[in-house]
Structure formats: C-alpha cells, structure tokens
Amino acid sequence: MDRKKIFSAVDHTLLLQGATWVEIKQICADACTYETASVCIPPSYVKRASDYLAGRIPVCTVIGFPNGYQTTAVKVFETQDAIANGAAEIDMVINIGDLKDRAYDRIEEEVRQIKAACKEKVLKVIIETCLLTDEEKIKMCEIVTSAGADYIKTSTGFSISGATFEDVELFSKHVGPKVKIKAAGGISSFEDAEKFMELGASRLGTSRIVKLAKSEQSL
C-alpha cells in the first residue's frame, strides 16, 4: 500500500499527560509535512493548535478521556467547548460501566447528545475493546450505528492494550454501512497499519507511524 494513503488515514496523536505546547506544535508541523488526516491532542491545546494550523490539518480532541465515566452533561460541555475552540473531530469515550450493566439506552442517548453537540463535526466513539467481551463489542457496533456517530474506535491507548486485527475484523462485520472504523493503540509499523486498513479501518490513531517515517529520513 502506498505510504501516502497510510498517512492520509493517520490521526497523528499526542495525548500524554506531560505533553508540552512545544511538542504539540511539533506534531502539528509533522502532520502538515506528512499530510495526515488530523492531529489528535488534549482539549487544553485545541485553541492554540487550531490557530497555529489555520485550517491546514483538522484538529481532533478527546472527550471523557480516558475512562469515560464523566456525566453526559460534562461530556456534552467538553464537546461544545472543544468545537468552539476549533476542534473539527471529537473522539469520545463511552461509560464502560453502563455497558457492563447493559444500560444500552443510556449509552445510546449519551452518544446521541454528543453527536447533536458536534453538529456537522466528526464524532468517533471509543469503546475500549480490551475491556469488553465480543458480545459487548457487537452490541456497541449496533449502538454506535443507531446513534448516528461517524466512527467506532477501538481504544484510548491508555488501558491494558490497544487495537487488534480481530477487533477491526469484528467491527467490519457488525457496524452499519455509514459507520467507519478507527483502530488506535499500539500501531507500531507500516505493515500493521496496512493490515488494519485492509481489514476495514479508515482511520488509525497512532504517534508511531510519522515517527517511523522521520527516523527513516534521518538515516
């Protein structure tokens, strides 16, 4: 697969707690160089990054991150604030406890409210697959589809493991035709990125793909 196609699927990500503005600005510059799909950064940096990028690359940020157990009202406010600051894409974390409790209507209503707050902006729903059974993953495919979100996303990258080929393959079989797939967490090679895309992922949440390309150029 052409590397340009892989870069165009990458949400170039930096979400570490200690991330500085200098580091955020650098991943923004790198995203422009490699023409990635977006930069995915903490909410506190959205305004500065949006001003710095001036529309060259979309800014993505995270909501209810990384644990997902904020109230719906808080997540909706976070979403509105992020969009007001220039975010073009929102990656929200579901309340995993609600899923374990089979409170499916509550989860769907939360996704619907956040999608309404997004308006025409892109909404990706992180379900943290490493904590779920296959039954729960399939149920979330149904909920994300019904709620009208744009993407289902595997992982935060902050739990016990990240994306797997098996999970993306499972998503591909169970999401509706309008729902896309984002694989995130642990994508560490161009070969892995290509396989995730071949299995159905159209976005990749990773910091390593651009780093790999930069390291190759420095050799």
Side-chain angles (χ1 to χ4, degrees):
M1 185 179 293
D2 179 72
R3 284 194 174 185
K4 188 171 183 179
K5 184 174 181 180
I6 293 174
F7 288 131
S8 72
V10 168
D11 289 340
H12 189 32
T13 302
L14 178 56
L15 294 168
L16 295 174
Q17 295 94 324
T20 66
W21 169 237
V22 170
E23 291 169 326
I24 295 291
K25 192 162 67 168
Q26 182 61 57
I27 74 156
C28 289
D30 290 341
C32 292
T33 298
Y34 291 94
E35 298 181 336
T36 65
S38 77
V39 288
C40 188
I41 60 174
S44 59
Y45 289 116
V46 167
K47 181 67 168 67
R48 275 182 281 179
S50 180
D51 290 345
Y52 173 74
L53 285 165
R56 290 176 291 168
I57 295 288
V59 175
C60 171
T61 196
V62 288
I63 300 299
F65 195 87
N67 295 312
Y69 47 36
Q70 295 84 343
T71 65
T72 297
V74 168
K75 291 179 183 177
V76 168
F77 177 80
E78 282 188 283
T79 300
Q80 292 168 335
D81 183 63
I83 290 170
N85 286 329
E89 303 190 0
I90 298 294
D91 288 20
M92 65 161 283
V93 186
I94 64 162
N95 186 315
I96 297 162
D98 280 349
L99 180 58
K100 297 292 182 182
D101 284 338
R102 297 178 178 264
Y104 304 138
D105 290 346
R106 189 178 302 154
I107 298 171
E108 182 169 338
E109 177 58 23
E110 178 171 275
V111 177
R112 285 185 183 277
Q113 287 191 37
I114 295 172
K115 180 57 184 172
C118 286
K119 298 179 180 176
E120 78 283 0
K121 308 299 185 185
V122 171
L123 175 62
K124 310 186 197 95
V125 180
I126 307 171
I127 70 169
E128 204 69 284
T129 47
C130 61
L131 303 180
L132 307 182
T133 65
D134 281 356
E135 179 188 0
E136 289 164 342
K137 296 168 194 174
I138 291 168
K139 188 62 186 179
M140 280 310 307
C141 287
E142 296 170 5
I143 290 171
V144 169
T145 300
S146 179
D150 301 285
Y151 283 81
I152 187 167
K153 177 179 170 182
T154 59
S155 320
T156 62
F158 281 70
S159 190
I160 55 177
S161 64
T164 67
F165 299 135
E166 292 78 12
D167 285 336
V168 170
E169 198 167 14
L170 185 71
F171 286 178
S172 295
K173 294 175 182 175
H174 293 282
V175 292
K178 294 183 180 179
V179 179
K180 299 176 184 177
I181 296 167
K182 178 175 174 179
I187 303 171
S188 57
S189 69
F190 282 101
E191 292 75 21
D192 283 355
E194 183 173 348
K195 185 165 182 181
F196 276 118
M197 292 176 72
E198 287 172 348
L199 289 171
S202 56
R203 286 291 184 92
L204 307 171
T206 176
S207 61
R208 298 183 191 178
I209 295 299
V210 169
K211 286 179 183 176
L212 274 173
K214 288 180 70 176
S215 67
E216 288 175 0
Q217 286 185 335
S218 66
L219 294 176

